[in-house]
């Protein structure tokens, strides 16, 4: 058995932690003392709890009117401390006291120094199993307890914790202050949190009795207004939806200058990357605003689903994350319908479907033994597939029944731990539908179905058949898989558009349609709510393409995505996909156009890989012909009073014409706008500015690179908004010359790239042909730097190596076999599978790709 799979015994349970910490900026060591009120369920002579990279002293236990000294033994592999007492301890209440010393983490987990250039705070990230690196604790979700922090730090620092401040006491010499916080409501250890630094907050706003504030480094707090206002709108919506008041004593949101993920839902003290919380209205794009609204909503949802009601163990992590993702999307779609956030979601869903089509995917519910296994579940299957399945279930049951089940579930399990079956039971009781049967097929088996849809026009019936969809032409399922699919399809006849619901739980079936006249078109995944792919027969596909305007935006995106997936696995030639792509380029939906341009970038990479320069030039000319007139109609610059759809279309069109087609005249204009932004970041539309800067970088020389590095550092030092600063950080991988690729990687070594930006930079470089080899060599040569990014980024970067050419496969295997040491095994397997599939796909499609574009030159 893996020592890290060890679970603590259940007969000793914490009820309250009183934690004293002394930690200060500039001092790598921290010291502390913890008193843990315990409930001893049976007589015992030892107590086990978690501790990692801590030295423990002066262990003693107060109980039964006596003080019992204890001897501490640390187990580094299990990450535990065992305190042995001289005689058995009686059952009942007792208090364990420990002193400890630790070091601030060099990564972004535990108690660590978060920094970005001159900006620094001390903060925490405890999910999944890193609270044990900050203080000795029972570091498993089931051990809920109250946490009361007392923090001593420098006199000029502000301290935030989960509970409200009770008192701030200066030291006699005036060099430090001690902050005392009220105890929290019962919660799991991974939800405890601290932030220490030069912080300032927005004015406190009380909504339904709950104080709300946004905190940031001093001078940036005014950028928290949007997030605070959005949280103020969300709170009453969530209270109404769950029919449960907000549970904790306050709700603080904090932007910190170094965080491994987007945000973390600590109870009453949510930590964010600065880009996920702060908005400068003059330089933040609409897409960035939507992202912030969504991430604020996601973390706030966890206060109910995850914090008030918590999973029993990490194998039900999906329940926390998938539900928070789904209900936050639902909340934002209702509070801000103009965001069209479910259409945005289709891009995330595409990634989830692609990952889930690999043989190396995992079920939504996956058994978890170790922290490494838990960390691998923070992926697109858990978040996005899980969200999609819940959305599909709610759509099938109807909102009232689904909501009723959620409400009774919340009431029964408040301040407790649950498993997935508990939610299914409540939903089943509320809906009287076979929820357990439906969810069993979606949660416990890997993959997703492909539904074949064939029309019999004579009988007005559809023949439906399901099978597991794999992205590899060679993949075979070990056994036939069947899903219970809440199928919803739309079709049009002479009487109009109709919707039909069918629970498909057999390998195939026939559905008779009630049709007046003839069927004009049929789409078998209404609004793309179902998590499955469809393969329309030739007649249905032709009808749908002839009636694209009748499809919703999400349906158009789903159609194109499924056509690409069928091409990738060899069900149809790439020429058929190109025909569909050309037809859908005429769509007037900006989401669809953006998706089309994403595929143009993919096609560009494929054509470059062929080495056929004439085909590459034909491709660029074709892109210009297809999209040049659309840009000419909308204009290169925003116009007063234009619709949001036109404004967002312009971004996609400029991307296609500048970065793909290499249109010289438009590139010249884009470069001029990039230079205007450099002089005045508010002078250029914030929706277009990042594209202009990236485009200028793509064709830029050393002088432009050095100017961009200077601008990035200058804006960061001045405390500029994170989005106008990061425009430049995100541009560096777009410079093409080998020397500037090398210089980009040097920025990591020079610590110009902040630690939170290293993973994203390397992942982006692994996905670009001109940078991927240099990025791979950097990862090999600087593995210690990569490893310090933490488990989430290790897995992400390992999986991104799947984009490397198959000629590097042996090198990848040799390196990861020697260095992963059991980490990121799922990501490693996915990387190799993706690499093999991509190589096969390039070989299979090369000649057809060249031939199709040769045809486009003919009159």
């Amino acid at each position: 058995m893996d020592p890290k799979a060890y679970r603590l015994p259940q007969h000793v349970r914490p009820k309250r932690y009183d934690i004293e910490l002394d930690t200060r900026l500039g001092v790598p060591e921290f010291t502390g003392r913890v008193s843990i009120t315990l409930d001893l369920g049976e007589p015992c002579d030892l107590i086990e709890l978690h501790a990692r990279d801590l030295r423990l002293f002066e262990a003693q236990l107060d109980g039964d009117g006596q003080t019992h000294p204890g001897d501490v033994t640390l187990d580094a592999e299990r990450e535990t401390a065992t305190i042995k007492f001289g005689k058995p301890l009686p059952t009942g209440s007792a208090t364990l006291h420990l002193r400890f010393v630790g070091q601030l983490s060099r990564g972004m987990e535990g108690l660590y120094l978060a920094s970005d250039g001159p900006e620094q705070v001390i903060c925490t990230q405890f999910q999944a199993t890193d609270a044990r690196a900050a203080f000795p604790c029972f570091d498993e979700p089931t051990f809920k307890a109250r946490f009361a922090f007392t923090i001593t730090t420098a006199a000029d620092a502000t301290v935030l914790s989960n509970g409200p401040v009770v008192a701030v006491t200066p030291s006699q010499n005036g060099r430090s202050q001690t902050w005392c916080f009220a105890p929290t409501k019962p919660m799991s250890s991974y939800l405890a949190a601290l932030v220490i630094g030069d912080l300032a907050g927005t004015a406190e706003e009380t909504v339904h009795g709950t104080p709300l504030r946004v905190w940031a480094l001093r001078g940036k707090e005014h950028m928290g207004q949007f997030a605070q206002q959005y949280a103020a709108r969300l709170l009453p919506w969530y209270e109404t939806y769950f029919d449960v008041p907000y549970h904790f004593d306050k709700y603080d949101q904090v932007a910190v200058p170094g965080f491994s993920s987007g945000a973390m839902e600590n109870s009453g003290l949510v930590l964010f990357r600065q880009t996920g919380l702060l908005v400068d209205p003059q330089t933040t794009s609409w897409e960035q605003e939507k992202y912030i609204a969504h991430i604020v909503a996601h973390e706030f949802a966890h206060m109910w689903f995850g914090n008030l009601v918590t999973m029993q163990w990490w194998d039900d992590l999906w329940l926390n994350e998938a539900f928070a993702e789904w209900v936050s999307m639902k909340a934002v779609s209702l509070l801000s319908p103009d965001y069209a956030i479910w259409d945005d979601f289709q891009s995330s869903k595409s990634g989830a479907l692609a990952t889930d089509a690999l043989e190396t995917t995992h079920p939504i519910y996956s058994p978890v033994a170790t922290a490494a296994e838990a960390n691998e579940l923070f992926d697109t299957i858990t978040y996005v597939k899980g969200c999609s399945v819940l959305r599909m279930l709610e759509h099938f049951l109807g909102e009232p029944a689904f909501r009723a089940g959620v409400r009774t579930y919340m009431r029964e399990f408040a301040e407790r731990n649950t498993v997935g079956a508990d939610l299914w039971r409540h939903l089943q009781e509320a809906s009287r539908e076979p929820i357990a049967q439906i969810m069993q097929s979606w949660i416990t088996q890997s993959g997703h179905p492909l539904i074949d849809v064939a029309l019999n026009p004579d009988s007005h019936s559809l023949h439906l058949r399901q099978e597991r969809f794999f992205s590899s032409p060679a993949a075979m399922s070990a056994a036939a898989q069947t899903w219970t699919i809440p199928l919803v399809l739309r079709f049009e006849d002479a009487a109009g558009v109709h919707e039909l619901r069918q629970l498909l739980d057999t390998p195939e079936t026939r559905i008779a349609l009630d049709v007046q006249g003839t069927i004009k078109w049929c789409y078998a995944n209404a609004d793309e709510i179902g998590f499955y792919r469809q393969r329309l027969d030739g007649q249905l596909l032709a009808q749908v393409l002839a009636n694209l305007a009748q499809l919703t935006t999400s349906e158009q995106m789903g159609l194109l995505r499924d056509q690409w997936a069928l091409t990738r696995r060899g069900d149809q030639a790439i020429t058929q996909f190109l025909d569909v792509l050309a037809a859908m380029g005429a769509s007037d939906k900006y989401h669809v156009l953006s998706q089309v341009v994403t595929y143009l970038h993919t096609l560009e990479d494929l054509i470059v890989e062929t080495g056929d320069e004439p085909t590459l030039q034909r491709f660029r000319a074709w892109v210009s012909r297809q999209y040049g007139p659309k840009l000419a109609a909308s204009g290169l610059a925003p116009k007063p009073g234009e619709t949001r759809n036109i404004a967002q279309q312009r971004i996609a069109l400029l991307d296609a014409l500048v970065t793909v087609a290499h249109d010289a005249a438009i590139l010249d204009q884009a470069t001029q706008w990039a230079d205007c932004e450099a002089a005045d970041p508010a002078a250029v539309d914030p929706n277009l500015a990042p594209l202009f800067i990236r485009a200028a970088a793509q064709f830029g020389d050393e002088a432009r690179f050095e100017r961009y590095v200077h601008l990035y550092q200058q804006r960061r030092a001045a405390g500029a908004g994170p989005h106008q600063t990061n425009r430049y950080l995100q541009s560096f991988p777009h410079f093409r010359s080998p020397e500037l690729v090398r210089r980009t990687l040097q920025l990591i070594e020079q610590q110009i790239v902040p630690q939170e930006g290293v993973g994203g930079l390397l992942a982006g470089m692994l996905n670009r042909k001109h940078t991927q080899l240099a990025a791979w060599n950097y990862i090999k040569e600087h593995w210690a730097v990569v490893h310090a990014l933490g488990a989430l980024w290790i897995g992400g970067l390992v999986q991104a190596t799947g984009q490397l050419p198959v000629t590097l496969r042996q090198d990848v295997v040799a390196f990861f076999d020697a260095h992963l040491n059991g980490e990121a095994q799922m990501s490693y397997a996915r990387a190799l599978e993706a690499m093999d599939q991509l190589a096969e796909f390039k070989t299979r499609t090369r000649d057809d790709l060249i031939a199709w574009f040769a045809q486009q030159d003919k009159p």
Side-chain angles (χ1 to χ4, degrees):
M1 175 177 162
D2 187 336
K4 295 187 185 303
Y6 181 72
R7 301 272 288 273
L8 296 178
Q10 296 290 310
H11 64 273
V12 178
R13 301 190 67 85
K15 296 299 179 184
R16 171 170 166 151
Y17 295 84
D18 287 277
I19 305 159
E20 299 176 24
L21 274 176
D22 188 315
T23 182
R24 309 169 192 224
L25 286 166
V27 179
E29 186 176 83
F30 61 86
T31 61
R33 179 171 61 188
V34 62
S35 297
I36 311 175
T37 303
L38 301 172
D39 182 14
L40 306 182
E42 60 185 58
C44 57
D45 63 353
L46 58 84
I47 292 174
E48 291 180 273
L49 71 168
H50 290 107
R52 186 178 74 231
D53 299 331
L54 298 174
R55 289 176 286 150
L56 306 186
F57 313 95
E58 300 177 17
Q60 64 179 48
L61 184 134
D62 295 335
D64 68 346
Q66 301 181 49
T67 297
H68 304 267
D71 295 324
V72 178
T73 301
L74 297 174
D75 186 325
E77 284 193 303
R78 285 185 173 183
E79 300 182 353
T80 59
T82 301
I83 299 107
K84 176 78 172 173
F85 299 95
K87 60 180 181 179
L89 307 169
T91 61
S93 182
T95 302
L96 176 65
H97 305 280
L98 289 163
R99 288 187 178 274
F100 57 93
V101 175
Q103 298 279 324
L104 294 178
S105 170
R106 293 188 301 168
M108 291 179 285
E109 70 285 322
L111 184 66
Y112 71 97
L113 178 68
S115 63
D116 185 353
E119 300 177 336
Q120 292 187 336
V121 300
I122 293 171
C123 66
T124 56
Q125 170 56 18
F126 290 160
Q127 194 181 48
T129 58
D130 292 311
R132 64 189 68 177
F135 56 91
C137 59
F138 295 76
D139 202 12
E140 295 174 11
T142 189
F143 293 111
K144 286 194 168 187
R146 299 178 186 271
F147 293 78
F149 284 98
T150 300
I151 309 298
T152 299
T153 192
D156 59 352
T158 296
V159 183
L160 303 172
S161 187
N162 304 90
V165 177
V166 173
V168 181
T169 307
S171 63
Q172 289 186 346
N173 62 16
R175 295 176 182 173
S176 65
Q177 287 191 125
T178 298
W179 296 66
C180 181
F181 295 89
T184 67
K185 303 288 177 61
M187 64 184 193
S188 303
S189 54
Y190 77 92
L191 297 169
L194 295 168
V195 186
I196 302 165
D198 186 18
L199 303 166
T202 55
E204 184 178 290
E205 179 180 359
T206 300
V207 178
H208 287 201
T210 299
L212 306 177
R213 294 187 80 177
V214 172
W215 297 81
L217 289 155
R218 191 173 303 279
K220 290 186 173 180
E221 65 273 15
H222 66 283
M223 299 184 206
Q225 289 296 334
F226 174 81
Q228 178 156 322
Q229 290 165 7
Y230 215 85
R233 297 175 65 196
L234 286 163
L235 192 149
W237 192 92
Y238 282 139
E239 289 187 330
T240 299
Y241 185 84
F242 291 113
D243 198 26
V244 174
Y246 177 74
H247 186 61
F248 302 98
D249 294 320
K250 64 177 179 68
Y251 192 69
D252 287 337
Q253 302 176 92
V254 191
V256 298
F259 208 65
S260 60
S261 58
M264 175 61 205
E265 67 269 15
N266 314 299
S267 301
L269 186 71
V270 181
L271 272 60
F272 295 77
R273 287 190 174 199
Q274 296 186 91
T275 51
L277 192 66
L278 303 182
V279 170
D280 177 353
Q282 287 191 305
T283 58
T284 299
S285 73
W286 188 57
E287 289 295 333
Q288 290 159 343
E289 177 190 306
K290 290 197 290 180
Y291 168 74
I292 291 172
H294 172 221
I295 197 170
V296 165
H298 179 103
E299 304 308 324
F300 210 167
H302 274 305
M303 299 302 116
W304 287 265
F305 220 98
N307 298 15
L308 174 60
V309 179
T310 310
M311 77 256 156
Q312 186 81 20
W313 181 242
W314 295 108
D315 43 18
D316 270 315
L317 169 71
W318 79 271
L319 201 57
N320 272 19
E321 296 300 345
F323 195 96
E325 183 70 359
W326 169 77
V327 79
S328 64
M329 294 289 292
K330 184 178 183 70
V332 173
S333 70
L334 293 171
L335 293 175
S336 304
D338 59 310
Y339 284 174
I341 198 160
W342 282 119
D343 292 332
D344 289 352
F345 179 74
Q346 294 305 317
S347 295
S348 300
K349 184 181 170 187
S350 292
L353 285 163
T355 298
D356 203 40
L358 298 172
E359 293 180 87
T360 48
T361 187
H362 66 84
I364 293 176
Y365 173 88
S366 296
V368 168
T370 67
E373 291 173 0
N375 284 323
E376 282 223 82
L377 294 183
F378 289 89
D379 67 357
T380 188
I381 301 299
T382 294
Y383 282 76
V384 181
K385 181 180 179 182
C387 169
S388 296
V389 169
L390 289 173
R391 186 187 186 205
M392 184 169 60
L393 181 63
E394 187 224 25
H395 188 60
F396 178 72
L397 297 181
E399 291 187 31
F402 191 92
R403 184 175 60 242
V406 169
R407 287 175 172 179
T408 58
Y409 169 84
M410 297 299 296
R411 286 195 288 270
E412 179 177 348
F413 292 105
E415 293 192 344
R416 295 169 59 192
N417 297 84
T418 67
V419 295
D422 295 319
L423 179 59
W424 311 147
R425 173 169 55 84
H426 279 267
L427 292 175
Q428 189 155 309
E429 289 172 357
S431 66
R432 305 300 178 189
E433 294 284 355
I435 304 302
Q437 173 193 340
I438 295 172
M439 296 308 290
Q440 185 76 7
S441 70
W442 289 99
I443 300 302
T444 60
Q445 66 177 341
S446 297
H448 60 271
L450 168 70
I451 300 177
D452 274 307
V453 188
L455 174 65
N456 184 330
D458 296 329
S459 62
H460 297 315
S461 65
L462 294 175
H463 181 257
L464 306 176
R465 186 179 69 85
Q466 63 164 300
E467 65 180 65
R468 180 172 173 180
F469 180 83
F470 288 105
S471 50
S472 168
M476 294 289 291
S477 183
Q481 290 179 253
T482 302
W483 284 260
T484 301
I485 305 170
L487 186 72
V488 184
L489 55 84
R490 294 198 315 126
F491 67 93
E492 184 180 5
D493 63 10
V497 177
H498 311 278
E499 188 172 279
L500 176 67
R501 294 166 182 257
Q502 175 87 13
L503 197 62
L504 177 61
D505 57 1
T506 57
E508 57 185 311
T509 192
R510 188 173 298 278
I511 301 176
L513 303 179
D514 185 9
V515 176
Q516 296 186 35
T518 59
I519 295 177
K520 296 181 179 179
W521 57 269
C522 177
Y523 194 79
N525 191 354
D527 215 23
E528 276 298 319
I529 290 175
F531 194 80
Y532 53 83
R533 298 188 188 277
Q534 58 181 314
R535 178 166 52 197
L536 302 173
D537 70 12
Q539 179 183 355
L540 285 175
L541 179 60
Q543 289 175 337
V544 164
L545 290 173
N547 292 274
L548 275 178
Q550 300 302 312
L551 300 189
T552 68
T553 298
S554 288
E555 288 169 351
Q556 291 184 35
M557 297 175 76
L559 175 65
L560 184 57
R561 177 183 62 228
D562 288 349
Q563 287 294 303
W564 175 249
L566 293 169
T567 302
R568 280 295 306 260
R569 85 161 189 173
D571 286 16
Q572 60 193 35
I574 197 170
T575 52
Q576 178 170 324
F577 171 77
L578 292 169
D579 290 339
V580 174
L581 185 75
M584 299 198 70
S587 174
D588 63 351
K589 310 289 189 184
Y590 78 84
H591 283 97
V592 178
L593 196 55
S594 296
Q595 185 184 30
V596 166
V597 174
T598 298
Y599 286 121
L600 293 181
H601 283 287
T602 301
L603 291 171
E604 180 185 28
D605 286 343
L606 290 172
I607 294 169
V608 168
E609 191 89 7
T610 68
D612 190 310
E613 184 62 27
T615 297
L616 183 60
Q617 295 309 313
R618 292 188 190 104
F619 166 70
R620 298 200 196 285
W622 178 80
V623 172
S624 289
R625 290 196 303 273
Q626 288 283 107
Y627 303 105
K630 290 176 76 79
L631 181 62
S634 65
L636 272 69
K639 299 173 183 176
E642 69 182 7
T643 65
R644 180 72 70 182
N645 188 58
I646 293 295
Q648 296 301 115
Q649 276 190 38
R650 181 178 293 109
I651 302 170
L653 293 169
L654 282 166
D655 187 5
L657 291 164
V658 175
T659 69
V660 178
H662 296 185
D663 185 295
I666 302 175
L667 171 62
D668 181 64
Q669 182 64 62
T671 303
Q672 292 180 44
W673 277 326
D675 292 340
C676 287
E677 195 283 343
D680 178 4
V684 176
D685 185 324
N687 299 294
L688 295 170
L691 173 61
F692 293 151
I693 291 166
R694 291 196 307 270
Q698 179 177 334
F699 299 93
D701 58 11
E702 183 177 2
R704 182 170 293 276
F705 181 89
E706 296 300 339
R707 185 183 184 196
Y708 278 15
V709 172
H710 172 73
L711 283 166
Y712 172 66
Q713 293 179 286
Q714 183 183 59
R715 291 187 183 181
R716 183 171 63 175
H723 298 109
Q724 64 158 286
T725 302
N726 280 6
R727 292 169 182 172
Y728 289 93
L729 176 63
Q730 292 160 3
S731 76
F732 298 143
H734 292 267
F735 286 91
R736 294 301 177 105
S737 82
E739 173 58 23
L740 297 183
V741 172
R742 186 185 66 81
R743 282 281 293 115
T744 295
L745 292 166
Q746 281 184 340
L747 298 178
I748 302 174
E749 293 303 292
Q750 295 166 345
Q751 298 186 337
I752 292 173
V753 177
Q755 190 176 31
E756 76 167 20
V758 171
L761 184 77
L762 290 173
M765 294 179 76
L766 285 170
N767 279 290
R768 292 182 174 88
K769 299 299 179 189
H770 70 283
T771 54
Q772 57 182 193
L773 180 59
W776 170 236
N777 288 332
Y778 180 90
I779 288 170
K780 291 188 296 180
E781 294 163 10
H782 300 85
W783 183 246
V785 173
V786 172
H787 200 266
L789 299 177
L792 295 180
W793 274 114
I794 293 171
L797 289 171
V798 168
Q799 188 160 335
T801 60
Q803 298 303 306
L804 292 170
V806 74
T807 52
L808 291 174
R809 195 183 199 280
Q810 285 188 317
D811 189 32
V812 169
V813 169
F815 183 80
F816 284 149
D817 282 354
H819 290 84
L820 285 179
N821 298 319
E823 292 182 290
Q825 292 303 296
M826 209 155 35
S827 301
Y828 180 21
R830 289 176 185 171
L832 295 180
E833 185 179 358
M835 185 185 296
D836 293 341
Q837 285 189 21
L838 186 58
E840 184 277 333
F841 178 64
K842 290 174 182 176
T843 301
R844 169 163 45 90
T845 58
R846 182 186 188 278
D847 291 345
D848 285 346
L849 197 60
I850 292 172
W852 194 89
F853 281 103
Q855 285 294 114
Q856 306 313 303
D857 270 353
K858 296 179 179 179

